[in-house]
Amino acid sequence: MVENPKAYYAPMHTAEHILNRTMVNMFDVERSFSNHIERKKSKCDYHFSRNLTDTEIAQINKKVNQVIEQKLAISEKIIPITEAKQTFDLGKISVTDNETIRIISVGDYDDCPCSGVHVPNTDEIGRFVISTWSYNEGVLRLRFKLQ
Ligand SMILES: [Zn+2]
């Protein structure tokens, strides 16, 4: 069986959904275009115009943890690709018009097409913390862990 690279650590990967939505909301950027999810430490890369300040990182940490602490249920629904195209950027997903796609919802905070594995509720994630971050040539990299 070929394991989905995003599947092997559900709490970390679910936190990634919340982080991406938080970045979109706070900075009006695209969700991470590249990421590496591991049990101990993960990273997400964003197209960005500058580095973030300590204050902004603290704001991201606070918001992500506020969402986690709401004990939101993670749910899924299957919708037609044609419908999904109206709401989501499916640029990286290989699809044809006859297929359906799975949308993962984190409460009412985030909806995102995804084939990975998630925890059933955000109360299984733990506490989110960005450990380090860096900026280089238009790419903001956030490294984070769960405690
Ligand atoms: Zn996912």
Side-chain angles (χ1 to χ4, degrees):
M1 179 184 159
V2 178
E3 194 176 18
N4 183 313
K6 289 185 178 181
Y8 46 66
Y9 192 43
M12 199 56 117
H13 172 62
T14 308
E16 178 201 345
H17 278 246
I18 299 170
L19 173 62
N20 276 332
R21 172 58 59 189
T22 301
M23 291 297 290
V24 170
N25 288 355
M26 286 181 66
F27 302 105
D28 195 25
V29 292
E30 303 278 318
R31 301 175 83 93
S32 61
F33 65 92
S34 169
N35 56 69
H36 189 72
I37 303 300
E38 287 185 3
R39 182 175 295 272
K40 287 189 173 177
K41 196 163 72 174
S42 297
K43 61 188 180 189
C44 285
D45 290 345
Y46 300 87
H47 293 301
F48 218 81
S49 57
R50 59 178 175 82
N51 204 351
L52 292 180
T53 65
D54 290 6
T55 303
E56 288 169 324
I57 293 294
Q59 288 169 340
I60 297 167
N61 281 332
K62 183 179 177 187
K63 180 62 190 180
V64 169
N65 283 309
Q66 282 175 345
V67 173
I68 290 171
E69 288 161 10
Q70 289 174 45
K71 302 183 190 301
L72 301 175
I74 317 301
S75 60
E76 65 172 60
K77 63 180 177 182
I78 309 294
I79 66 173
I81 288 292
T82 48
E83 184 185 331
K85 277 181 176 171
Q86 295 167 17
T87 310
F88 303 103
D89 176 11
L90 303 181
K92 283 189 290 186
I93 299 171
S94 157
V95 293
T96 71
D97 279 347
N98 293 324
E99 289 179 40
T100 56
I101 192 166
R102 187 175 74 152
I103 307 297
I104 294 296
S105 298
V106 180
D108 59 4
Y109 188 67
D110 182 48
D111 301 308
C112 178
C114 188
S115 58
V117 176
H118 310 85
V119 294
N121 191 291
T122 59
D123 66 2
E124 295 185 23
I125 292 176
R127 185 172 170 278
F128 170 92
V129 60
I130 295 172
S131 47
T132 58
W133 68 99
S134 56
Y135 182 75
N136 187 37
E137 297 187 347
V139 176
L140 173 69
R141 171 166 291 176
L142 302 181
R143 299 175 197 84
F144 59 96
K145 51 191 175 182
L146 301 176
Q147 297 173 331

